[in-house]
Amino acid sequence: MAKLLVKTEGIKNPILELRLGVNRVGRDPENHLQIDHPTVSALHCEMELSGNALVVRDCDSTNGTYVNGQRVTQAALQTGQTFQLGDVELFVETAEVTVAIPAHGEPPPAPPVVLPDGTMLCRRHPQSPVTYQCTQCHEVMCSACVHHLRRQGGKTFHLCPLCSKPCKPLGVEPPKKRSFFQQFKHTVKLQFTRNKSPGD
């Protein structure tokens, strides 16, 4: 956050932190920033912090606001610059604003619950049993978690929502692929079965 350092000795708060927007500065404790010094007016000036720009505006103070030795009504201030309110000298340590954005993410899901019969319940859908496991990251999940991608005229792919790798169904043995000969034999057998007449 933007900071001012009071170089004049005897000031109670030697470090002044500016907030975004207008900061009223003066001797009166009702101001945003109080500088208790006899040469500082009750409301001496306003300092506006916007982005990385810092502007000081004098509020008709008795002893004036000075930048580079010149009395000003308004002036832009830069990091490393010195200016005065009456006889009080201030140093702009930084005119930069740091905006902290809090991390916003979903909390990690709870571990899966295992029922007495050995059935695992999905971490994201506690009412559903685990039916799939990722072949890459080994995450277990229910069917609602899995991304089911069906190609037109082709088979359905079951993809992990975390790493997009294939998922395999749990507790189900994949059907064994028949050889061409076995498939041909099965087809021919079906044909002969259908063509048999009742008297044969």
Side-chain angles (χ1 to χ4, degrees):
M1 190 58 73
K3 285 183 183 179
L4 305 176
L5 301 181
V6 181
K7 297 179 77 174
T8 303
E9 293 183 3
I11 303 299
K12 185 177 180 181
N13 299 315
I15 300 174
L16 306 175
E17 291 192 1
L18 299 171
R19 62 176 192 176
L20 277 171
V22 175
N23 299 263
R24 292 191 301 273
V25 184
R27 194 174 67 251
D28 194 311
E30 294 297 315
N31 292 304
H32 297 112
L33 301 171
Q34 184 188 18
I35 300 177
D36 191 9
H37 192 273
T39 64
V40 174
S41 298
L43 174 58
H44 197 100
C45 69
E46 288 181 344
M47 303 195 72
E48 185 173 359
L49 182 62
S50 173
N52 289 338
L54 178 60
V55 175
V56 60
R57 296 187 195 92
D58 189 79
C59 295
D60 297 322
S61 62
T62 303
N63 295 305
T65 299
Y66 297 85
V67 177
N68 297 326
Q70 300 294 317
R71 186 165 184 164
V72 297
T73 55
Q74 179 173 311
L77 297 171
Q78 306 295 327
T79 298
Q81 194 167 11
T82 301
F83 67 104
Q84 286 180 257
L85 305 182
D87 291 339
V88 177
E89 189 175 18
L90 296 105
F91 175 76
V92 182
E93 183 181 65
T94 175
E96 295 178 359
V97 179
T98 303
V99 179
I101 300 174
H104 180 71
E106 293 184 7
V113 175
V114 181
L115 298 178
D117 64 358
T119 303
M120 274 194 298
L121 298 179
C122 180
R123 300 197 298 179
R124 295 165 190 81
H125 304 95
Q127 304 304 318
S128 302
V130 166
T131 52
Y132 286 90
Q133 183 174 26
C134 177
T135 57
Q136 177 69 28
C137 68
H138 306 293
E139 178 72 8
V140 290
M141 64 207 84
C142 69
S143 182
C145 294
V146 177
H147 295 158
H148 303 282
L149 179 65
R150 183 176 178 81
R151 288 188 177 176
Q152 189 172 5
K155 68 175 185 176
T156 302
F157 291 91
H158 310 290
L159 304 177
C160 176
L162 303 180
C163 67
S164 300
K165 297 296 182 182
C167 292
K168 64 179 180 181
L170 291 177
V172 178
E173 288 293 327
K176 292 181 179 179
K177 193 171 182 181
R178 292 177 178 176
S179 68
F180 174 78
F181 178 72
Q182 288 173 322
Q183 196 169 1
F184 177 75
K185 185 178 176 184
H186 180 72
T187 306
V188 171
K189 186 178 179 182
L190 284 175
Q191 289 293 333
F192 279 120
T193 304
R194 285 180 189 160
N195 293 334
K196 278 186 178 180
S197 62
D200 290 344

